């Protein structure tokens, strides 16, 4: 079972995960355990303050090193890997989500205000992860995104592994167009190949659709796909 421990100033914001879709089922089926730690419980200030002004005169407030350290040490073991959700971190992608799904004991630190003291990130954090090149008011929503993206790849959480392998970004390409009933919707028809019953035709159409969609929606990924195809062709000739 994978265990995720979240250090946050807003523990109530994660309550819905216990009943949310695939994550809720993973928790119910004991494939995933989520524990919440309130950073404020480790304040040594009589007013329960956890932040202070930034040295050098920078704007905003920073969560103090001692508070984060004490919260972290209360749950960290020799098996733990520590992730800090940060706008300055490495951008989360499908490959990273798969890698995180292999971590049995993950601790996620959610920053707030201007973030946390750099002595924590520089000496006690294994990963700094961002969900995009923009700044949010806290790390709670990014932490949820990370958990949602990784939970799908924990063994036994999603029934068929094949369904994950056709997802967008699993193998560079986006997922191609998909359809359900009725076959005719306001004059727009489901492609003949998808109702032919011919698995080879269906597979060929799905790949063509994935390539066309990637080219149309994410030309940057399409160029990457072309480079990979070209490189693969050279390797096969070798």
């Amino acid at each position: 079972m994978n265990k995720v421990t979240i250090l946050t100033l807003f523990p109530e914001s994660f309550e819905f995960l216990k009943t949310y879709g695939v994550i809720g089922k993973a928790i119910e089926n004991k494939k995933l355990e989520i524990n919440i730690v309130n950073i404020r419980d480790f304040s040594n200030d009589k007013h329960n303050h956890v932040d202070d002004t930034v040295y050098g005169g920078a704007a905003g407030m920073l969560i103090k090193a001692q508070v984060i350290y004490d919260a972290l040490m209360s749950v960290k073991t020799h098996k733990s890997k520590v992730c800090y959700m940060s706008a300055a971190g490495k951008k989360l992608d499908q490959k990273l989500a798969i890698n995180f799904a292999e971590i049995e004991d993950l601790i996620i630190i959610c920053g707030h205000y201007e973030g946390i003291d750099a002595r924590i990130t520089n000496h006690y954090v294994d990963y700094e992860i961002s969900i995009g090149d923009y700044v949010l008011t806290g790390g709670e929503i990014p932490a949820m995104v990370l958990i949602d993206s990784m939970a799908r790849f924990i063994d036994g959480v999603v029934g068929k592994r094949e369904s994950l392998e056709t997802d967008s970004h699993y193998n560079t390409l986006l997922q191609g167009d998909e359809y359900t009933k009725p076959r005719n919707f306001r004059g727009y028809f489901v492609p003949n190949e998808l109702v032919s019953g011919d698995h080879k035709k269906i597979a060929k159409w799905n790949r063509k659709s994935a390539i066309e969609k990637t080219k149309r929606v994410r030309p940057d990924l399409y160029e990457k796909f072309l480079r990979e195809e070209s490189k693969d062709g050279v390797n096969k000739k070798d």
Side-chain angles (χ1 to χ4, degrees):
M1 178 169 64
N2 292 59
K3 181 174 73 171
V4 178
T5 303
I6 305 163
L7 276 53
T8 173
L9 290 173
F10 300 95
E12 66 280 358
S13 60
F14 291 94
E15 283 300 312
F16 89 103
L17 286 180
K18 297 176 182 178
T19 57
Y20 173 68
V22 169
I23 296 175
K25 290 181 180 178
I27 294 171
E28 181 181 348
N29 294 330
K30 300 188 184 306
K31 301 292 183 182
L32 176 64
E33 177 185 339
I34 294 181
N35 300 307
I36 311 297
V37 174
N38 190 341
I39 295 171
R40 203 173 295 279
D41 290 342
F42 296 85
S43 171
N44 54 10
D45 183 290
K46 66 179 181 179
H47 299 294
N48 238 20
H49 292 158
V50 297
D51 60 324
D52 210 330
T53 54
V54 184
Y55 278 120
M61 305 288 281
L62 208 63
I63 301 179
K64 294 185 284 189
Q66 189 66 52
V67 177
I68 295 290
Y69 177 84
D70 289 346
L72 181 59
M73 291 303 114
S74 75
V75 293
K76 192 176 186 298
T77 71
H78 69 282
K79 293 182 179 180
S80 302
K81 294 295 182 181
V82 181
C83 173
Y84 173 53
M85 306 309 300
S86 164
K90 184 175 183 180
K91 194 181 296 185
L92 179 65
D93 59 17
Q94 193 82 311
K95 184 177 180 180
L96 267 177
I98 294 171
N99 291 340
F100 271 99
E102 296 174 358
I103 298 174
E104 293 182 2
D105 184 0
L106 177 64
I107 300 172
I108 301 176
I109 302 174
C110 301
H112 205 66
Y113 312 118
E114 283 296 301
I116 66 176
D117 191 294
R119 286 167 289 189
I120 297 296
T121 54
N122 291 345
H123 302 290
Y124 300 99
V125 166
D126 299 298
Y127 310 95
E128 284 193 58
I129 298 297
S130 165
I131 63 169
D133 293 335
Y134 45 85
V135 178
L136 298 176
T137 55
E140 283 72 25
I141 292 174
M144 294 177 199
V145 172
L146 174 58
I147 293 168
D148 194 297
S149 66
M150 61 173 274
R152 302 170 64 255
F153 292 98
I154 295 172
D155 287 342
V157 171
V158 175
K160 293 184 178 180
R161 182 76 181 194
E162 293 82 0
S163 66
L164 299 176
E165 294 175 357
T166 60
D167 282 350
S168 296
H169 306 293
Y170 189 87
N171 289 309
T172 305
L173 293 173
L174 301 180
Q175 187 173 45
D177 293 340
E178 293 185 306
Y179 303 86
T180 186
K181 297 179 181 65
R183 186 178 177 190
N184 177 5
F185 173 69
R186 300 178 67 85
Y188 298 104
F189 287 84
V190 176
N192 292 329
E193 291 88 342
L194 297 182
V195 295
S196 67
D198 187 322
H199 295 297
K200 288 185 178 180
K201 285 184 178 180
I202 293 171
K204 185 177 180 180
W205 187 92
N206 282 335
R207 180 166 175 80
K208 180 182 177 183
S209 176
I211 292 172
E212 290 176 348
K213 185 170 185 176
T214 305
K215 183 178 181 180
R216 182 177 73 251
V217 178
R218 287 288 303 274
D220 57 322
L221 289 180
Y222 178 70
E223 291 299 322
K224 180 182 178 183
F225 162 73
L226 292 180
R227 290 194 299 271
E228 291 173 347
E229 288 287 287
S230 176
K231 182 178 180 181
D232 189 49
V234 170
N235 288 341
K236 285 181 178 178
K237 289 179 183 179
D238 293 344

